[in-house]
Structure formats: structure tokens, C-alpha cells
């Protein structure tokens, strides 16, 4: 099955309707199916009406109890995975106000303990100097002063030693000239400074390092419960365990190849010197 981003919002209702149709075709009442699945009739009713999103385990139990065919199972499981995914387009974010997005990010950062950032394109806001962060907002419409202030306020979370942060940056992400050369040198200096924090690891992926695949999307993994993926037109939020595991696997591959510690700081110093020359 093929889905467009706009379909994600209605996927839960579609899943419920599909499960309800399969139940009726099997000639089972909600009460009888709930008994077979060892779940309450209320929960099953909420799933069928789209009021509640079932876990993948719930869906597998229902399909087994209905003795669904392989084709039916594939269709339902594909849709079930989609219900654990959310599309957030940038147009909607701009209408709501970009500062609200900063509040959402602050909430995710406050709830998570282990945070992993894969950055193939540019430096993320948590690591940015005020000038770099401001330049990153240059394409956004309207007054950006409040958004910039919120973005910089979020950086305080880096000093919470109950959390651990790992940032993987490609050479392009660090060296992409978003600012004038002096400003870029200061930005690289900031990365060096932050790499000394006890709970912050900054890994570099130079262009001459061997990799098994090319970097594609910016993404962040919050603990083992949520992954966000950035695109030009918005972001995708994954909550399905398999999607999160796949992103953790990609992150681990690049983390194994990255430079950390003195090797990372020596390379950053070299790049900062280049910007100053």
C-alpha cells in the first residue's frame, strides 16, 4: 500500500474500519472477538471507531483471532504501522507559530534521557551560536526574535548531567558556509567547547572517511520511544518500535565510524583555522 503524508491523520480511523469489516466478515461480535484476544470489549470498540490507537501487538492478536489471510494481514499491518507515524508539515507549523515548535522540542528534550542527533546537513540549534541560529531562521517568514530566543533558551538542557547527548555531524554539516568566515570560525569553536561537557559527545564524519551508505536525512532519536525525521517540507514522527530500531541501527553504524575526543577536536581546530585564514 502507498500512502501520502496527508493520509497519516486519518490512518487510525481507517485501521479501525478495516478491523471492524474483517470482524463482521468472520461473523464475530465485539464481545466474542475481545474474549479471543483477551482484551476488553471497550478497548476493542475504541480501536474499531478510531478513538484509540492499538499497539502492533494488539493488531496481531486481533488478526490471529480472526484467522486473517496473509494478504489481509499484510494490508492491516501496513496500516497499523502508519498509525504510529505522524506527519507535521512546515506550513502548519508556521501558521501555529514557530515558537510553538520550539516549545514542543523543549518538551521532548526535557522528557528524554538519552538523545541522539544525526546531522548530515547543518548544525542543530542546541549547538548553534546566536548568529548561526539566526541565519538558520532566515528563510522563515515574519518576526523571528521570539523563536530565536526560545531556540537559544533550549540550549540550557545540555548542562543537565542526568541526560546524555550524542551528536553526529558530517563535514558538510560543520563547514557549510551559513555565515561569513569569521562567524563560521566562532561556530566551530563552540562545537569544540561543548565537546568538553561530560554528558555531550560530538562525533565527526569527514568526507574522506569510509561509509557503507550515504547520509540522507537529519533525524533525532529520543530514548527508544520516538524518532523525528526532518525533510524540506516538514517532519515525520515515528513511534513504531521497528522504525525506531532501524534509525538506531543507522545511528550506530555512523557512530562507529565517527571521530570523537581529541581526534574530533583536532579536526575542528583545523577547520576553524581554515575559516580564519
Amino acid at each position: 500500500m502507498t500512502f501520502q503524508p496527508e493520509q497519516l491523520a486519518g490512518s487510525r480511523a481507517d485501521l479501525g474500519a478495516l478491523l471492524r469489516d474483517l470482524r463482521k466478515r468472520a461473523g464475530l461480535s465485539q464481545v466474542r472477538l475481545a474474549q479471543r484476544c483477551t482484551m476488553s470489549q471497550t478497548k476493542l470498540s475504541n480501536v474499531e471507531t478510531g478513538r484509540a490507537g492499538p499497539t502492533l501487538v494488539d493488531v496481531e492478536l486481533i488478526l490471529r483471532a480472526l484467522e486473517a489471510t496473509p494478504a489481509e494481514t499484510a494490508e492491516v499491518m501496513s496500516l497499523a504501522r502508519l498509525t504510529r507515524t505522524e506527519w507535521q508539515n512546515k506550513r502548519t507549523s508556521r501558521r501555529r507559530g514557530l515558537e510553538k515548535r520550539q516549545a514542543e522540542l523543549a518538551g521532548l528534550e526535557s522528557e528524554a534521557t538519552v538523545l541522539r542527533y544525526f546531522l548530515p546537513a547543518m548544525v542543530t540549534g542546541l549547538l548553534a551560536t546566536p548568529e548561526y541560529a539566526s541565519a538558520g531562521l532566515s528563510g522563515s517568514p515574519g518576526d523571528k526574535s521570539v523563536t530565536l530566543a526560545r531556540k537559544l533558551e533550549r540550549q540550557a538542557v545540555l548542562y543537565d548531567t542526568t541526560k546524555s547527548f550524542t551528536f553526529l555531524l558530517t563535514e558538510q554539516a560543520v563547514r557549510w558556509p551559513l555565515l561569513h568566515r569569521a562567524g563560521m570560525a566562532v561556530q566551530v569553536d563552540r562545537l569544540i567547547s561543548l565537546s568538553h561537557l561530560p554528558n555531550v559527545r560530538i562525533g565527526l564524519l569527514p568526507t574522506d572517511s569510509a561509509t557503507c551508505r550515504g547520509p540522507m536525512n537529519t533525524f533525532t532519536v529520543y530514548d527508544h520511544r520516538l524518532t523525528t525525521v526532518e525533510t524540506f517540507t516538514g517532519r515525520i514522527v515515528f513511534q513504531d518500535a521497528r522504525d525506531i530500531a532501524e534509525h538506531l541501527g543507522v545511528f550506530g553504524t555512523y557512530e562507529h565510524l565517527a571521530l570523537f575526543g581529541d581526534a574530533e577536536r583536532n579536526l575542528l581546530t583545523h577547520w576553524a583555522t581554515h575559516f580564519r585564514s
Side-chain angles (χ1 to χ4, degrees), residues 115-156:
L115 301 95
R116 301 172 176 89
Y117 299 79
F118 183 66
L119 306 165
M122 61 185 293
V123 176
T124 189
L126 288 182
L127 304 177
T129 64
E131 188 177 17
Y132 188 98
S134 179
L137 292 170
S138 60
S140 303
D143 182 6
K144 298 173 282 290
S145 58
V146 175
T147 301
L148 178 60
R150 297 289 182 271
K151 185 183 284 281
L152 296 176
E153 287 170 5
R154 283 174 43 224
Q155 295 177 351

Side-chain angles (χ1 to χ4, degrees), residues 5-31:
E6 291 77 10
Q7 291 178 268
L8 296 177
S11 58
R12 182 184 291 182
D14 293 339
L15 174 62
L18 185 54
L19 289 173
R20 183 176 64 249
D21 290 344
L22 288 175
R23 174 180 61 77
K24 289 183 176 179
R25 267 187 264 160
L28 294 175
S29 66
Q30 277 190 351
V31 173

Side-chain angles (χ1 to χ4, degrees), residues 118 120 170 205-207 209-217 219 245-254 257:
F118 183 66
T170 64
L205 294 157
T207 53
S209 63
T211 58
C212 60
R213 63 190 295 187
M216 297 182 67
N217 298 99
F219 67 84
E246 286 184 21
H247 281 90
L248 285 171
V250 171
F251 192 91
T253 297
Y254 284 106
L257 297 168

Side-chain angles (χ1 to χ4, degrees), residues 112-264:
T113 302
V114 180
L115 301 95
R116 301 172 176 89
Y117 299 79
F118 183 66
L119 306 165
M122 61 185 293
V123 176
T124 189
L126 288 182
L127 304 177
T129 64
E131 188 177 17
Y132 188 98
S134 179
L137 292 170
S138 60
S140 303
D143 182 6
K144 298 173 282 290
S145 58
V146 175
T147 301
L148 178 60
R150 297 289 182 271
K151 185 183 284 281
L152 296 176
E153 287 170 5
R154 283 174 43 224
Q155 295 177 351
V157 76
L158 293 175
Y159 301 92
D160 182 349
T161 54
T162 66
K163 303 177 183 295
S164 70
F165 300 85
T166 302
F167 300 89
L168 299 183
L169 298 99
T170 64
E171 181 173 344
Q172 173 179 297
V174 178
R175 302 184 69 178
W176 187 266
L178 198 64
L179 298 172
H180 53 87
R181 295 178 70 86
M184 289 301 299
V186 173
Q187 175 57 66
V188 176
D189 287 342
R190 174 164 171 78
L191 296 178
I192 297 171
S193 176
L194 291 174
S195 73
H196 288 285
L197 292 176
N199 59 325
V200 173
R201 299 172 69 236
I202 295 179
L204 298 182
L205 294 157
T207 53
D208 59 358
S209 63
T211 58
C212 60
R213 63 190 295 187
M216 297 182 67
N217 298 99
T218 296
F219 67 84
T220 306
V221 183
Y222 299 90
D223 296 323
H224 286 75
R225 62 185 179 83
L226 189 103
T227 298
T228 62
V229 177
E230 301 288 333
T231 73
F232 273 109
T233 57
R235 64 190 60 83
I236 305 170
V237 181
F238 294 101
Q239 298 181 69
D240 180 82
R242 285 176 292 186
D243 292 316
I244 295 169
E246 286 184 21
H247 281 90
L248 285 171
V250 171
F251 192 91
T253 297
Y254 284 106
E255 185 177 16
H256 178 72
L257 297 168
L259 301 177
F260 289 92
D262 288 339
E264 160 247 325

Side-chain angles (χ1 to χ4, degrees), residues 1 3 14-15 17-27 59-60 62-81:
M1 300 177 70
F3 298 93
D14 293 339
L15 174 62
L18 185 54
L19 289 173
R20 183 176 64 249
D21 290 344
L22 288 175
R23 174 180 61 77
K24 289 183 176 179
R25 267 187 264 160
V59 175
E60 288 173 353
I62 292 170
L63 291 172
R64 204 169 325 156
L66 292 172
E67 298 180 353
T69 67
E72 290 169 338
T73 297
E75 182 181 14
V76 171
M77 291 307 297
S78 177
L79 191 54
R81 292 190 72 193

